[in-house]
Amino acid sequence: MVHLYYDSRTGNVQRFINKVVQITGWQAHQIADDIDVPEAGHLVTYTTKIGSMPDKTVAFMNAYAEKIFSVTSSGNRNWGRNFGLAADKVSENYDVPLAMKFELSGTMEDINQFIDIIKNQYNDSKRGSKKLDIA
């Protein structure tokens, strides 16, 4: 079973996760102060303040980085080179492979690409190289 841990402020990531879960049946867990992380999984977060990691994401990664296989981030292309920058920062700061970035709540193409990446290119294996970075 694939586990997704996610942080959502405006609902964009929540909508993306809901679509992924509806298609796959994977387990989704929203990051909260009292979150329990029973299984390793993948992080989906958002970018805030034009290129920053959300505070909840930072706290979560400080506690559970060793259980995260990959990171994906929502962003807004209006931010130019800062688009989805939270994923780059999580990847760099916690040595977690970057799976992908998507705009706002993602398109069906984004959702299908994410599912493909998680199922076929990572498949819940141990963290390896950063070769997942196809964003």
Side-chain angles (χ1 to χ4, degrees):
M1 174 62 65
V2 174
H3 290 265
L4 305 174
Y5 298 94
Y6 70 96
D7 197 0
S8 184
R9 185 184 69 205
T10 64
N12 284 328
V13 173
Q14 176 75 57
R15 284 187 290 281
F16 181 86
I17 290 291
N18 289 346
K19 292 173 196 167
V20 170
V21 168
Q22 182 179 13
I23 293 167
T24 63
W26 294 344
Q27 294 291 310
H29 313 274
Q30 187 165 12
I31 296 173
D33 294 337
D34 61 348
I35 190 170
D36 181 35
V37 180
E39 301 288 335
H42 304 269
L43 173 65
V44 181
T45 190
Y46 63 94
T47 302
T48 189
K49 300 178 186 168
I50 310 178
S52 296
M53 292 184 291
D55 293 338
K56 279 187 186 177
T57 296
V58 171
F60 175 81
M61 289 303 293
N62 285 341
Y64 300 109
E66 74 282 351
K67 289 188 169 189
I68 299 303
F69 295 131
S70 72
V71 61
T72 295
S73 181
S74 172
N76 188 319
R77 294 195 189 278
N78 289 340
W79 294 353
R81 66 180 180 196
N82 292 332
F83 167 68
L85 198 56
D88 297 304
K89 290 181 177 182
V90 167
S91 180
E92 182 179 319
N93 293 344
Y94 300 97
D95 195 30
V96 174
L98 171 61
M100 66 175 284
K101 300 175 186 181
F102 60 93
E103 187 167 26
L104 303 174
S105 60
T107 63
M108 276 312 297
E109 183 178 333
D110 295 328
I111 290 161
N112 289 328
Q113 179 183 15
F114 176 78
I115 292 168
D116 181 64
I117 289 168
I118 300 306
K119 281 174 66 174
N120 300 315
Q121 295 181 30
Y122 216 67
N123 198 24
D124 276 345
S125 62
K126 292 183 180 179
R127 268 194 336 214
S129 72
K130 293 189 179 186
K131 66 182 178 183
L132 273 183
D133 186 0
I134 64 168

